[in-house]
Amino acid sequence: MDRKPFQKTKVLAIALAHHIHDIYTAFLAPLLPLLIEKLGIPLFAAAVLQVVRNSASLLNPVLALVAEKKGVKYFVIATPGITAVSMSLIGLADSFGTLVFLLFISSISAALFHIPSPVMVKDAAGDRVGTGMSFYMVGGELARTVGPIIAAAAVAFWSLEETWKLMPPGVMASFVLYRKLKDYKGDAVRSGKKETGRGAGKLLVQYKFFFLTLAGFIMFNSVMKTALTLYLPVYLVEKGASLWYAGISLSVLQGFGVAGTLLSGYISDRIGRKLTLLFSAAGTVLFMGLFSFFNSIVFLSFLGFFLFASGPVLLAIVQETKTHMPTFMNGMYMSISFGVASLIALAIGFAGDAWGLETTYYLCSGAGIGLIPLSLLLQRSANKIV
């Protein structure tokens, strides 16, 4: 069989779009301590904000079916600007309801971006799907490294109410992306025009064991990831750290996550998805426990590397399922991922209010052990069609 080429220019263009978009979605966590103080909301209500930000994930399968028929490259083009406007305005929110509205808009925008973009990457990556997914996810993880720093700097140089000044780069990015991607065409994005409705139901039945295994893996991973990415600044501020140090710590976590994300897809192309997931799971559990007990930024660095390494591997496994509807499969993955993460955010918020974040971090460390057996089952379940 002929090898399919790796189209670096297209992969990098989509990864850049991912980077620009996700810079703005990274604003909530570092600003959360200030928003909690300003609006007088408890941790559980803060968890509700995370759920709202991910609420449009419930529509992912429906949007994916539209994508199978029409192709949705313009979602990728428009959403950086929409997300930039909504997330830059959260500092101006004068009520919990206004904050919920802005986060809901950004949720819809994020859903419209994340559904088609990995399929576009798969189409351009040829035989190196894992490597392509690493490039794509590095764009997002690097954004979540830069985003907290930008948000904290905006508050330091201006104020919480002046974060709206950050929106122009995102709006300009949408215009630039239009020029770069308007002529993009990919078979993978249009592959499911035939019998999309019946095909979706059939795939849900055929891959039900895979979806259940995937949901379990995401659940245990989200226990630790949500505790860190959403509540790390609050956790560190409660323990006496400054907001600036808390923001830097979140960026360190995300920065080492970029390294794990960049390497894991490439490694999985060579040693296999299952072994890569196993290493990622074991390292995550080990260093989550060490960080919970010692709060060392060194352990936090290693934790970031292993915690985020599973992302490109999961995307590659989803995209390599032998279906005629790759966009729908990615829509299901995104829906499961965001849905599970939202429920976990509520649970962690409740636990944080009830027992404190320190105890909650210990509990998250123990729960993460469930990742290890599921990492051994996941790829096998993707090949097991009912």
Side-chain angles (χ1 to χ4, degrees):
M1 295 179 63
D2 295 335
R3 293 183 61 83
K4 297 179 181 178
F6 183 82
Q7 302 175 59
K8 184 182 293 186
T9 301
K10 290 182 179 178
V11 171
L12 290 178
I14 301 166
L16 177 62
H18 194 196
H19 175 68
I20 294 169
H21 176 276
D22 282 14
I23 281 178
Y24 291 93
T25 63
F27 285 0
L28 179 59
L31 297 181
L32 193 55
L34 296 178
L35 292 169
I36 289 174
E37 181 181 359
K38 177 182 177 180
L39 302 177
I41 57 178
L43 286 178
F44 183 78
V48 171
L49 296 177
Q50 178 73 349
V51 173
V52 170
R53 194 180 68 166
N54 293 331
S55 59
S57 64
L58 297 174
L59 302 175
N60 279 354
V62 176
L63 294 174
L65 289 176
V66 175
E68 292 288 358
K69 281 189 171 184
K70 304 293 183 181
V72 283
K73 65 183 179 184
Y74 289 109
F75 288 176
V76 175
I77 293 170
T79 48
I82 297 171
T83 302
V85 171
S86 58
M87 290 302 295
S88 296
L89 289 174
I90 64 174
L92 282 173
D94 57 0
S95 69
F96 185 74
T98 301
L99 189 56
V100 166
F101 174 76
L102 291 171
L103 291 175
F104 181 68
I105 295 298
S106 71
S107 173
I108 295 174
S109 180
L112 293 177
F113 176 85
H114 285 102
I115 290 171
S117 47
V119 184
M120 295 169 72
V121 171
K122 178 198 174 187
D123 186 55
D127 295 318
R128 297 166 59 191
V129 176
T131 303
M133 294 306 169
S134 278
F135 276 105
Y136 170 77
M137 293 204 69
V138 161
E141 301 306 338
L142 189 58
R144 284 182 281 277
T145 302
V146 175
I149 296 176
I150 292 176
V155 172
F157 285 105
W158 301 320
S159 69
L160 177 63
E161 287 71 24
E162 293 179 283
T163 54
W164 62 267
K165 295 179 180 179
L166 296 172
M167 69 173 69
V171 176
M172 291 296 297
S174 285
F175 287 101
V176 174
L177 288 169
Y178 173 77
R179 296 181 61 86
K180 295 291 184 181
L181 299 178
K182 64 179 180 179
D183 297 323
Y184 178 86
K185 294 179 180 180
D187 292 338
V189 183
R190 306 188 308 275
S191 62
K193 288 187 177 182
K194 298 180 181 178
E195 58 178 71
T196 53
R198 288 182 301 166
K202 187 177 180 180
L203 286 179
L204 286 175
V205 173
Q206 289 179 330
Y207 285 93
K208 61 182 180 182
F209 182 62
F210 170 63
F211 287 133
L212 287 172
T213 308
L214 181 64
F217 187 95
I218 291 171
M219 179 183 70
F220 288 115
N221 196 59
S222 293
V223 165
M224 293 175 287
K225 181 176 283 188
T226 303
L228 290 162
T229 56
L230 181 61
Y231 291 109
L232 182 63
V234 179
Y235 171 74
L236 292 175
V237 169
E238 281 186 358
K239 294 180 75 67
S242 67
L243 180 63
W244 183 255
Y245 178 81
I248 291 295
S249 296
L250 184 59
S251 292
V252 167
L253 175 78
Q254 298 283 1
F256 277 84
V258 170
T261 300
L262 179 62
L263 292 175
S264 62
Y266 174 83
I267 292 170
S268 72
D269 281 339
R270 279 145 183 80
I271 70 172
R273 314 293 186 214
K274 182 172 72 173
L275 195 55
T276 308
L277 275 184
L278 180 60
F279 286 144
S280 170
T284 299
V285 173
L286 172 63
F287 287 104
M288 180 66 184
L290 290 172
F291 174 73
S292 297
F293 278 96
F294 299 106
N295 297 146
S296 168
I297 201 168
V298 175
F299 293 140
L300 185 67
S301 302
F302 282 103
L303 176 55
F305 181 89
F306 287 104
L307 179 65
F308 291 89
S310 62
V313 187
L314 292 180
L315 270 177
I317 291 173
V318 170
Q319 289 300 309
E320 287 173 340
T321 52
K322 299 185 183 303
T323 75
H324 65 287
M325 297 174 65
T327 309
F328 176 75
M329 292 297 287
N330 187 63
M332 284 300 303
Y333 164 68
M334 299 303 296
S335 185
I336 292 170
S337 181
F338 287 133
V340 169
S342 296
L343 294 175
I344 293 298
L346 286 175
I348 293 175
F350 177 82
D353 281 332
W355 306 310
L357 283 177
E358 185 172 8
T359 300
T360 301
Y361 270 43
Y362 294 147
L363 294 174
C364 291
S365 301
I369 295 174
L371 279 176
I372 296 175
L374 289 171
S375 67
L376 298 173
L377 292 174
L378 192 57
Q379 188 172 27
R380 184 190 306 173
S381 70
N383 298 323
K384 184 178 179 180
I385 301 177
V386 178

